[in-house]
Amino acid sequence: MKNSKIRAIVILFFSVFLAAVAGRDFLRMRQPEPIYPGQGISEKKMLSDYFSPLRGTNGDTEVYFFEGENPGATVLILGGTHPNEPAGFITAICLIERAQVQAGRLIVIPRANNSAFSHNDPQEANPQRFFIPTPHGMRWFRFGSRNTNPIDQWPDPEVYRHFPSGQKLSGGETRNLNRSYPGKPDGSLTEKVAFAIMELLRKEKVDLAFDLHEASLEYPVINAIVAHNRRRNIFAVSPIANGAIN
Amino acid sequence: MLKIIYLLITGLILILSIVDLFKEKNWRNQLTHLIVLIPLILRVLLIK
């Protein structure tokens, strides 16, 4: 009797110890990787500047502005809508660190779904971080999840009904930013992030927006280009489309 | 609101699991509580 109680205490302490060891690794995912803004940056804002309820949440994220000397169009680049597709995220970071805008405005959001960077998907064997050697040393980046962290938005419904189309999707898609546009000001965290990005598009009078993605690791897609029917002519001449076709 | 209800349920299950751990006599069954307690602790603390 007494032995079983002592064992229970030991097991309880051991559980807390193992939870602390595992928790340390999970918490490490919340540490953002460093971004070194280049000289072309004219201003840095937060997404919550366009929709204040996001302030203080894990959905708030950085927005970088580049202002050209000459007038021109305003372009928005979104990286990190799906943090398990790092090409889009890395492209956005390359622009933040290297871009020099001569005409018009460039707006870059490197971590569109900031919450989804703070965890990764179980049973996928994805690393928490990946590393890229540079002339200035090794850089690290998080390999996040396709969806918002369930710590920030839970529980998922059995069926997710997209607003405003009413399209029925699987419950987990309720945390997918790319299934949440145009978002809702009183919706889930993911819908609020989508709404804030739409507010940015409206307030900054964005002419053209690119949402950068990549095939997931085991998903054999080389190129997939999605553009609105009404803007196919603009997209056809864009460098991204030409690069993808060539 | 749903999140609070969910957390309360998780906390209750954690407490019941700990009570069960102390009631259990068989050491093998006590040890199996480990795999239940660890994820519950992480979820109650909003870590994972």
Side-chain angles (χ1 to χ4, degrees):
Chain A
M1 178 69 181
K2 195 181 171 187
N3 279 348
S4 70
K5 291 272 187 290
I6 293 168
R7 268 200 312 268
I9 292 167
V10 170
I11 287 168
L12 187 59
F13 272 101
F14 196 51
S15 303
V16 172
F17 171 73
L18 289 179
V21 171
R24 193 167 150 267
D25 265 5
F26 292 133
L27 287 173
R28 207 168 66 126
M29 285 289 286
R30 298 188 195 179
Q31 184 190 346
E33 51 281 289
I35 296 177
Y36 305 101
Q39 293 179 340
I41 297 277
S42 56
E43 193 181 5
K44 182 183 156 192
K45 287 186 178 177
M46 296 301 287
L47 192 58
S48 57
D49 293 333
Y50 297 89
F51 182 57
S52 58
L54 272 187
R55 191 159 292 128
T57 70
N58 212 8
D60 203 3
T61 189
E62 295 150 336
V63 185
Y64 295 87
F65 289 79
F66 297 76
E67 196 85 39
E69 287 179 8
N70 302 307
T74 299
V75 173
L76 171 69
I77 303 279
L78 288 176
T81 291
H82 290 152
N84 64 334
E85 301 167 9
F89 171 50
I90 296 294
T91 304
I93 290 182
C94 286
L95 284 169
I96 290 165
E97 299 185 354
R98 299 291 181 106
Q100 296 284 338
V101 175
Q102 292 174 343
R105 296 167 76 213
L106 172 65
I107 306 171
V108 185
I109 303 180
R111 304 182 189 102
N113 191 349
N114 189 50
S115 168
F117 277 91
S118 64
H119 75 131
N120 60 10
D121 297 318
Q123 300 180 357
E124 290 283 356
N126 293 336
Q128 287 187 328
R129 292 179 176 188
F130 61 96
F131 300 85
I132 298 178
T134 73
H136 310 289
M138 193 69 83
R139 290 189 64 175
W140 63 271
F141 303 93
R142 286 174 295 172
F143 193 100
S145 165
R146 184 177 172 83
N147 297 329
T148 300
N149 193 334
I151 292 296
D152 298 317
Q153 184 182 318
W154 190 261
D156 293 341
E158 285 290 318
V159 176
Y160 166 50
R161 195 178 282 268
H162 172 260
F163 172 82
S165 71
Q167 184 186 9
K168 289 179 182 172
L169 298 160
S170 67
E173 295 286 38
T174 192
R175 291 182 284 115
N176 184 344
L177 177 60
N178 208 26
R179 303 291 181 275
S180 299
Y181 291 103
K184 280 196 286 187
D186 59 346
S188 65
L189 179 71
T190 314
E191 285 175 318
K192 285 177 182 170
V193 171
F195 181 79
I197 291 171
M198 292 301 289
E199 283 290 285
L200 183 150
L201 286 166
R202 283 186 279 265
K203 288 177 182 170
E204 300 295 343
K205 297 184 171 55
V206 172
D207 297 297
L208 192 61
F210 293 97
D211 187 7
L212 304 177
H213 287 255
E214 180 187 8
S216 298
L217 285 181
E218 71 278 24
Y219 191 58
V221 172
I222 306 302
N223 284 317
I225 305 164
V226 182
H228 198 285
N229 256 346
R230 293 204 306 262
R231 294 290 177 265
R232 277 188 303 181
N233 54 339
I234 295 174
F235 186 74
V237 298
S238 74
I240 288 178
N242 287 321
I245 291 162
N246 294 331
Chain B
M1 187 62 188
L2 275 174
K3 189 173 177 177
I4 295 167
I5 294 168
Y6 175 77
L7 265 180
L8 287 172
I9 293 170
T10 315
L12 179 67
I13 294 170
L14 177 60
I15 292 165
L16 289 175
S17 302
I18 293 170
V19 170
D20 198 52
L21 169 67
F22 277 86
K23 280 184 181 170
E24 182 60 54
K25 305 282 188 297
N26 185 299
W27 70 271
R28 282 196 183 90
N29 290 343
Q30 277 186 313
L31 211 54
T32 56
H33 280 74
L34 263 176
I35 55 172
V36 177
L37 290 173
I38 294 168
L40 284 172
I41 292 168
L42 289 171
R43 186 45 71 96
V44 163
L45 295 175
L46 293 177
I47 292 173
K48 180 66 178 173

